[in-house]
Amino acid sequence: MGFENLDKILEEHNLTKSEYERIVEILGREPNITELGVFSVMWSEHCSYKSSRIHLKKLPTKGKRVVQGPGENAGVVDIGDGYVAVFKIESHNHPSFIEPYQGAATGVGGILRDIFTMGARPVAVMDSLRFGSLEKPLNRQIFKGVVAGISGYGNSVGVPTVGGETCFDDSFTYNPLVNVFCLGITKKDKVFYARAKHVGAKVFYAGAKTGRDGIHGATMASAEFDDSLEEKRPNVQVGDPFKEKLLIEACLEAMDKGVVSSIQDMGAAGLTSSSVEMADRGGKGIEIDVSKVPQREEGMTPYEILLSESQERMLIVAEPGRENELKKIFNKWDLDIVEIGQITDSGKFVVREKEKIVAEIPVSSLTSSAPKYDRPYLNIVKSREKEIDNNDYIGKFSIEKIINGFLDDPNIGKKNWVFEQYDHMVQTNTVVYPGRGAAVIRIKGTDKFLTMTVDGNPDYVYLNPYEGTKRIVAESYLNISVTGAEPVGATNCLNFGNPEKPEIMGEFKYAVEGMGDASKFFEIPITGGNVSFYNETNGAAIKPTPVYGLVGIVEGEDNIITSNFKDEGDLIYLVGNLKPDFSGSFYLKKYYKRVEGVLKKTPLEIVKKVGTFLRENVKLIKAANDVSQGGVFVSLLDFITDRFGYFLQIPEVFSPELFLFGETAGMVIVSISSENQYNFEKKLREFSLDFRKIGAVVSESIKIEMLNKIIYVSSLKSFIKRYENAIPKRMEV
Amino acid sequence: MKAKITVKLKDIVLDPQGNTILHSLNEMGYEKITKVRQGKVFFVELEETSKEKARALLKEIAHKVLSNPVIETYEVEIIG
Amino acid sequence: MKFGVVVFPGSNCDYDTYHVLNNVMGVPTSFIWHKDTVLSDYDLIVLPGGFSYGDYLRSGAIARFSPVMNAVKEYSEKGGLVLGICNGFQVLLESGLLKGAMLRNRNLHFICKHVYIKVRNINTPFTNALKEGQVLRIPIAHADGNYFASEEDLKNIGANNQIVFQYSDNNGKINDSVNPNGSLLNIAAIINENGNVLGMMPHPERASEKILGSTDGKYIFKSIINYLKNRR
């Protein structure tokens, strides 16, 4: 055997010559085309994490609450009283550029399956989205399609989209980022795993039929884009949220009734990776017959059936003896379910087409012993960071102009246009709606609340991958803490360019180390996540974008802190690391068109102290929010309601620009009742935390004063109008 | 037998999708386009040899299921 | 007293509605599978929100042909109370139990937010706990909530006091600027001629607990319970 045009075939399969030689060595013979296809998807960056594995090991994954760390479909964290939270982020970047609506929709579908596969009902979705500037029609089109896709899919399946972030920066024009987080809840003793247990157990295929969609999606997500986009279109998978909704109900019912032994969704690399991973995790083998797989198109080859990425499909191993009950449940929900094979003790992945064996590969060669690379890396910090003097960047524009420009910027402007397209209330658990910091949901039947956030800041990470990523973790930590919650676990989505380039590999390596070190410091376990490399088009990479998804818990409604102002006359304080700086700031990028400066070391001790202070003094605090991108001014936007604005007095040690728009790690804004002033300040002193009273809550206006001179004033109504119009005015033409 | 059923909004009913598409087309420079009404097309295959009977059956499903007579009208066309 | 919540494939507010009826209002409630046809046990049938059959053809268009819908029709003809919320309202329109149809929202988007609705008829089993002209704050969540009816139907609906809620501002003013979806006459809810079948786009089950930001939805459920108690 052997291939006539090996080089071309390897190129089409994104495999190197040495990887091919390894395949021959493993099999002891040349692979056939079906086997080559299987190797190519399982060894793709997307499935094998071959460039990232050695670095991901540095992340902390253990903790007293961790029930399941990385390696399963999602992480599982104990939240007490017998309940667990199951969560993970996944990227769907490449498909969302090619076909924004379906790309984003199937992104939601995929992560939902990861969660309910573990036995948990999905209760919340968040998205971290990044696009190029809305001034360009292409970006508007992608943005619109992605939001509509998330809305179309998430709303239909009935899982609320409760929060997230939406950012715009031209480095994402040809590589938008669509990272979807999902969280589910179940009982600790009801968690399901994708581990084959019993030899001889029957393997079932359930859900949608298999078509030719998405063949080589996993290898596509592992290669750069070039101008051949049009040809890649047939790869697009189309989502069917109705089928997904039925699958959720059928799978949860089947798991609840105990008829499922193990279960795995067919995501990237479809039937292949689900079968292989199921066998691998249980240390078993698996044998399937592709001719039994329900097919949507005629004349599909074993290669196509194995590699198809048709959506809404599950692989289920029945509890021996309960096969008929399993089938009955799926039939009740009008879903196809067919027996396609069985678990074996051979340690091999064997694929038949009726009697004929079309592939036979040792399972472990596709998983644990897939190639891994220690790719060369460069530390790029020295070439990117340079000292700046904050005083060089003040006085050029009036405060009014800057504020109006901020409010009118889609990065800062209110995101109603986005989240009102999402059903953020279905399941009636959403306590804090999107647009007000971290999302908060209740868990019915308990006194528990979960808060969750997804955070990224590519500008920081671009300047300094290590410190920048630490700062993102610190920001998430405070984002959770300002709701009164204790962080319990994290997931990550690491979006980078081509790892074969040393500078990109350097960005990745140092970002992971920053994330690991900060997470260790806060004792936050990272229970899973996703790496997305090759976010490049025609050689230009995105800014490095590690996204951190953090989950926290609050016990008791009275212990939740919200961010909206409550009463006129309440005092406003800054607390924590009061050292604003323009390095890597949004202000510098927007008004001086540069991402530069030197990121200060993230003061982790202070950050932690601020978090502890907030949690221990909930009773004194009426509203709180952390300060991150855009500085104090932007943080205050979250406090504003249709009744209450603020009156600020800028301390004279700062320039108004630095005070309002400077950025720093470890600072929060808090509003308190004036009668608690003494106690509040006393507590802060006990914690030896820096603080400063900066103003008060007022009705109907926004007013900023410096040295007894008003430098900005606006009616609340017109201020809000501008703030709310930034996105609609660009999208609704 | 193959058939095509076109369902569209009645002329008296506002068509937000059609209007938006018209507006976008005009914006893109297609100024000669003056009206767009969006509809749906169903391609149907059926086991029937009599065109007459086929037409009756297709009209029935078009009326009963595929369209909502309050807001929509339909056309049935046998295409092979 | 016993309430039933119909579950179509694709219903997704079935459990939320059950939760409020059973746990918040304290009325024993069960789910009714879309293939069930015996409804005689129930004092109220709710068609909940969601995307029945994916809403792929038109919202509510396929659910209308479910076996349960024939039973619902019979049940309503005998005077039984039927409440359709959101997708449930769409199903009632498609099945002809209520007059009119739903078009795509005029901004073409799905819209999820709190709105204000003003009650226009408090003499119904669903609104008797409300004061004349009372304004409620209740969320909407739909893509097809743009109510349409022929001129004649609209005239009759108005003349018979069948408009039960209209979108308004927080003071009860009704004008186009507070119309979220383009509905004719700002219509948010209508009732049938006999006064026992109500369809509403806003979700009262999402506004029945303080922790969720509004309890105004409870007025609807309280009204139903009042009515049923008095009827006995």
Side-chain angles (χ1 to χ4, degrees):
Chain A
M1 220 164 81
F3 299 102
E4 244 172 61
N5 195 346
L6 185 63
D7 290 347
K8 186 163 169 276
I9 283 178
L10 291 183
E11 195 194 321
E12 279 167 4
H13 285 83
N14 253 320
L15 287 165
T16 64
K17 203 68 184 264
S18 68
E19 285 170 342
Y20 184 76
E21 281 158 12
R22 196 155 155 188
I23 292 170
V24 173
E25 192 186 319
I26 288 165
L27 297 178
R29 59 177 164 84
E30 304 266 339
N32 62 35
I33 188 71
T34 307
E35 290 166 334
L36 192 74
V38 167
F39 274 104
S40 82
V41 290
M42 292 307 295
W43 285 9
S44 71
E45 189 66 57
H46 191 81
C47 292
S48 74
Y49 291 81
K50 60 186 165 193
S51 305
S52 58
R53 269 193 289 172
I54 62 158
H55 299 288
L56 296 174
K57 274 200 245 149
K58 298 168 201 160
L59 297 172
T61 58
K62 295 198 166 68
K64 57 182 194 303
R65 290 181 182 271
V66 177
V67 176
Q68 173 66 51
E72 268 284 346
N73 284 299
V76 182
V77 167
D78 193 332
I79 53 171
D81 298 345
Y83 286 90
V84 291
V86 179
F87 56 87
K88 191 177 161 185
I89 309 189
E90 275 256 342
S91 64
H92 231 217
N93 304 337
H94 297 81
S96 300
F97 177 63
I98 292 176
E99 167 41 53
Y101 183 98
Q102 293 298 344
T106 52
V108 175
I111 189 73
L112 288 171
R113 286 193 294 282
D114 280 338
I115 301 304
F116 74 75
T117 293
M118 309 263 328
R121 180 171 286 277
V123 296
V125 164
M126 296 192 294
D127 328 282
S128 170
L129 309 177
R130 287 188 163 73
F131 306 96
S133 149
L134 287 186
E135 311 310 324
K136 292 183 190 141
L138 170 69
N139 297 330
R140 289 201 291 271
Q141 193 197 327
I142 296 173
F143 172 52
K144 189 176 172 181
V146 165
V147 171
I150 293 169
S151 159
Y153 204 101
N155 298 353
S156 182
V157 294
V159 181
T161 301
V162 297
E165 49 170 11
T166 311
C167 310
F168 305 92
D169 178 295
D170 273 334
S171 93
F172 302 105
T173 295
Y174 298 102
N175 293 94
L177 300 186
V178 175
N179 294 178
V180 189
F181 167 100
C182 181
L183 181 141
I185 301 282
T186 189
K187 288 285 180 73
K188 194 173 173 179
D189 55 5
K190 291 272 181 190
V191 177
F192 275 78
Y193 299 100
R195 285 174 208 157
K197 283 182 267 187
H198 316 282
V199 171
K202 303 282 181 262
V203 176
F204 288 85
Y205 169 111
K209 291 184 168 55
T210 296
R212 290 194 173 88
D213 24 7
I215 291 174
H216 276 317
T219 43
M220 175 178 80
S222 309
E224 283 181 45
F225 279 147
D226 52 32
D227 294 324
S228 63
L229 180 63
E230 287 301 322
E231 294 163 34
K232 289 191 170 128
R233 263 186 212 276
N235 276 336
V236 169
Q237 312 104 301
V238 173
D240 180 349
F242 174 55
K243 189 136 280 173
E244 179 102 339
K245 169 71 175 155
L246 299 181
L247 269 182
I248 295 178
E249 300 305 333
C251 290
L252 290 178
E253 188 177 327
M255 289 189 259
D256 191 51
K257 296 219 166 110
V259 300
V260 172
S261 165
S262 62
I263 176 165
Q264 165 85 36
D265 76 299
M266 295 186 212
L271 184 55
T272 298
S273 74
S274 54
S275 312
V276 167
E277 282 168 17
M278 179 100 80
D280 180 57
R281 290 190 187 119
K284 302 279 187 304
I286 190 167
E287 186 172 318
I288 58 173
D289 178 352
V290 286
S291 71
K292 291 186 177 158
V293 170
Q295 293 159 43
R296 202 181 68 219
E297 296 175 56
E298 277 169 35
M300 289 185 71
T301 62
Y303 177 97
E304 289 171 324
I305 295 167
L306 284 173
L307 268 50
S308 161
E309 293 192 358
S310 291
Q311 299 287 297
E312 291 90 23
R313 302 178 302 159
M314 305 293 290
L315 195 71
I316 302 172
V317 180
E319 196 63 34
R322 313 281 303 266
E323 292 83 1
N324 282 335
E325 289 168 79
L326 175 71
K327 281 196 249 176
K328 239 184 176 161
I329 291 169
F330 277 76
N331 291 337
K332 173 187 156 192
W333 290 99
D334 292 328
L335 290 166
D336 281 340
I337 181 159
V338 202
E339 186 185 323
I340 60 163
Q342 57 180 332
I343 300 300
T344 67
D345 57 3
S346 69
K348 281 186 180 166
F349 176 47
V350 177
V351 183
R352 289 174 189 277
E353 190 182 28
K354 299 198 170 113
E355 295 309 310
K356 189 177 147 209
I357 291 182
V358 293
E360 185 169 6
I361 305 171
V363 165
S364 64
S365 70
L366 297 169
T367 54
S368 48
S369 33
K372 54 186 155 189
Y373 297 123
D374 186 358
R375 296 194 188 276
Y377 57 89
L378 265 179
N379 187 344
I380 41 71
V381 174
K382 286 204 183 76
S383 60
R384 291 187 188 162
E385 279 198 334
K386 79 173 215 266
E387 285 289 348
I388 57 164
D389 183 345
N390 287 322
N391 292 320
D392 291 345
Y393 300 103
I394 58 174
K396 189 170 163 192
F397 306 102
S398 75
I399 294 299
E400 184 171 3
K401 183 184 151 104
I402 301 168
I403 286 182
N404 287 341
F406 262 55
L407 292 177
D408 185 47
D409 190 295
N411 281 293
I412 305 299
K414 199 158 182 177
K415 306 295 191 299
N416 301 33
W417 189 89
V418 178
F419 62 73
E420 284 179 1
Q421 292 189 52
Y422 304 151
D423 191 337
H424 49 270
M425 306 171 182
V426 64
Q427 299 194 14
T428 57
N429 295 322
T430 317
V431 175
V432 173
Y433 293 140
R436 290 217 177 271
V440 181
I441 64 163
R442 68 168 169 182
I443 304 174
K444 282 193 189 102
T446 73
D447 204 18
K448 293 175 190 300
F449 296 82
L450 289 183
T451 89
M452 54 199 96
T453 175
V454 283
D455 297 298
N457 186 322
D459 293 336
Y460 293 167
V461 183
Y462 170 81
L463 277 181
N464 185 333
Y466 180 76
E467 277 306 325
T469 308
K470 262 166 81 181
R471 202 149 149 179
I472 291 167
V473 174
E475 182 188 328
S476 288
Y477 175 83
L478 285 182
N479 245 330
I480 291 299
S481 301
V482 292
T483 65
E486 177 86 38
V488 295
T491 172
N492 61 17
C493 198
L494 307 168
N495 308 275
F496 290 80
N498 180 348
E500 294 158 43
K501 297 181 184 168
E503 67 272 30
I504 302 284
M505 203 56 221
E507 289 175 346
F508 180 78
K509 172 188 159 16
Y510 292 105
V512 168
E513 287 174 6
M515 183 175 285
D517 287 352
S519 301
K520 276 178 211 155
F521 181 85
F522 295 120
E523 295 174 60
I524 298 171
I526 298 173
T527 61
N530 171 234
V531 178
S532 171
F533 280 130
Y534 298 98
N535 291 287
E536 301 205 2
T537 296
N538 291 334
I542 58 162
K543 284 180 187 161
T545 312
V547 169
Y548 200 65
L550 185 58
V551 178
I553 184 165
V554 187
E555 302 278 351
E557 187 182 345
D558 294 343
N559 291 319
I560 300 173
I561 307 172
T562 51
S563 72
N564 52 309
F565 284 140
K566 304 296 185 300
D567 293 291
E568 194 170 358
D570 286 349
L571 305 176
I572 305 172
Y573 279 80
L574 282 187
V575 173
N577 180 36
L578 312 188
K579 291 177 185 146
D581 185 62
F582 286 143
S583 294
S585 68
F586 183 74
Y587 168 79
L588 215 59
K589 182 162 87 166
K590 183 167 176 69
Y591 284 98
Y592 293 85
K593 309 284 174 240
R594 54 189 75 171
V595 176
E596 61 179 31
V598 173
L599 286 193
K600 300 255 164 24
K601 205 164 171 245
T602 309
L604 297 175
E605 289 285 354
I606 299 179
V607 174
K608 197 178 203 171
K609 222 188 304 177
V610 171
T612 309
F613 171 80
L614 291 165
R615 278 185 290 275
E616 290 181 5
N617 292 284
V618 169
K619 300 287 178 294
L620 291 172
I621 295 167
K622 286 174 89 170
N625 193 22
D626 69 309
V627 176
S628 54
Q629 192 188 39
V632 165
F633 174 77
V634 171
S635 174
L636 280 168
L637 292 171
D638 269 4
F639 288 84
I640 291 169
T641 70
D642 50 8
R643 286 177 61 201
F644 300 119
Y646 56 80
F647 171 56
L648 278 194
Q649 289 168 303
I650 297 180
E652 48 195 276
V653 294
F654 298 109
S655 68
E657 289 92 336
L658 190 61
F659 178 80
L660 291 169
F661 313 115
E663 298 178 15
T664 176
M667 180 156 79
V668 296
I669 301 176
V670 170
S671 79
I672 62 161
S673 163
S674 58
E675 65 203 33
N676 284 330
Q677 182 170 9
Y678 175 80
N679 277 336
F680 180 71
E681 294 189 0
K682 194 175 136 218
K683 286 280 179 209
L684 282 166
R685 284 193 193 93
E686 282 172 22
F687 268 77
S688 29
L689 276 171
D690 280 348
F691 64 91
R692 219 174 240 281
K693 180 158 78 81
I694 58 166
V697 178
V698 299
S699 282
E700 316 289 341
S701 71
I702 303 286
K703 211 191 261 183
I704 304 173
E705 192 186 85
M706 182 153 189
L707 298 167
N708 297 321
K709 224 177 87 191
I710 301 281
I711 58 169
Y712 179 84
V713 64
S714 167
S715 79
L716 190 56
K717 232 187 185 150
S718 60
F719 187 88
I720 289 176
K721 202 169 163 195
R722 198 181 287 269
Y723 174 45
E724 289 186 342
N725 206 22
I727 293 178
K729 80 182 245 199
R730 288 170 173 86
M731 299 305 294
E732 306 288 328
V733 267
Chain B
M1 194 175 287
K2 289 182 181 174
K4 184 170 107 179
I5 299 173
T6 309
V7 174
K8 58 182 186 186
L9 286 172
K10 287 179 181 168
D11 273 345
I12 53 154
V13 176
L14 176 80
D15 176 8
Q17 278 123 314
N19 289 349
T20 305
I21 294 163
L22 174 65
H23 179 81
S24 306
L25 287 172
N26 292 159
E27 288 278 295
M28 289 156 74
Y30 298 106
E31 281 151 19
K32 288 191 175 165
I33 309 292
T34 56
K35 188 174 174 184
V36 176
R37 301 287 289 171
Q38 186 172 307
K40 292 178 201 145
V41 180
F42 300 87
F43 294 95
V44 181
E45 293 180 24
L46 67 167
E47 283 176 6
E48 180 58 75
T49 44
S50 147
K51 279 198 177 181
E52 204 118 314
K53 281 186 188 158
R55 204 175 289 278
L57 176 64
L58 292 164
K59 277 191 170 174
E60 184 180 327
I61 63 161
H63 185 79
K64 216 171 131 184
V65 184
L66 300 182
S67 77
N68 178 344
V70 178
I71 45 174
E72 292 166 328
T73 59
Y74 59 86
E75 276 166 31
V76 170
E77 194 186 332
I78 293 187
I79 53 175
Chain C
M1 206 180 291
K2 195 177 171 198
F3 292 169
V5 178
V6 174
V7 182
F8 297 109
S11 291
N12 66 26
C13 303
D14 44 350
Y15 185 77
D16 302 353
T17 310
Y18 168 90
H19 168 73
V20 168
L21 296 176
N22 198 74
N23 305 342
V24 178
M25 305 309 296
V27 180
T29 302
S30 335
F31 292 112
I32 302 170
W33 188 239
H34 64 110
K35 287 177 181 162
D36 292 349
T37 51
V38 181
L39 303 179
S40 46
D41 283 359
Y42 300 101
D43 298 291
L44 169 77
I45 301 292
V46 184
L47 308 184
F51 289 72
S52 51
Y53 297 90
D55 281 350
Y56 288 155
L57 178 59
R58 286 180 313 281
S59 298
I62 302 289
R64 160 199 171 192
F65 295 101
S66 284
V68 75
M69 283 312 294
N70 282 330
V72 168
K73 207 163 185 173
E74 271 173 38
Y75 176 88
S76 73
E77 279 159 8
K78 289 185 200 144
L81 294 189
V82 179
L83 170 62
I85 301 169
C86 197
N87 193 232
F89 187 7
Q90 292 161 341
V91 175
L92 290 173
L93 291 168
E94 282 284 341
S95 61
L97 284 170
L98 292 172
K99 289 269 165 63
M102 286 298 175
L103 296 169
R104 176 48 62 106
N105 294 344
R106 66 180 161 186
N107 72 357
L108 305 183
H109 299 311
F110 187 96
I111 305 169
C112 176
K113 65 175 184 183
H114 277 89
V115 296
Y116 292 99
I117 54 172
K118 180 180 186 172
V119 65
R120 303 318 308 260
N121 180 353
I122 57 168
N123 300 312
T124 81
F126 307 92
T127 52
N128 58 61
L130 288 161
K131 292 194 213 77
E132 197 79 58
Q134 192 171 338
V135 175
L136 305 180
R137 184 170 171 270
I138 295 187
I140 54 169
H142 59 247
D144 301 308
N146 181 350
Y147 180 78
F148 175 87
S150 68
E151 228 169 285
E152 196 193 337
D153 283 343
L154 206 58
K155 217 166 77 192
N156 290 335
I157 288 167
N160 296 334
N161 265 331
Q162 284 171 253
I163 301 175
V164 178
F165 287 105
Q166 283 171 298
Y167 299 107
S168 73
D169 70 6
N170 56 342
N171 296 312
K173 271 205 201 96
I174 295 165
N175 58 47
D176 195 55
S177 74
V178 292
N179 186 338
N181 49 28
S183 289
L184 289 176
L185 302 178
N186 283 36
I187 284 174
I190 57 169
I191 199 162
N192 65 343
E193 263 178 83
N194 290 334
N196 62 327
V197 178
L198 179 81
M200 63 188 299
M201 285 317 286
H203 285 269
E205 82 281 10
R206 296 185 182 189
S208 293
E209 293 167 275
K210 195 169 147 271
I211 185 96
L212 302 180
S214 169
T215 54
D216 286 356
K218 275 169 96 172
Y219 284 106
I220 313 270
F221 303 122
K222 262 190 233 160
S223 298
I224 295 168
I225 294 167
N226 284 348
Y227 171 85
L228 291 170
K229 275 188 181 153
N230 292 336
R231 197 173 66 170
R232 281 179 184 188

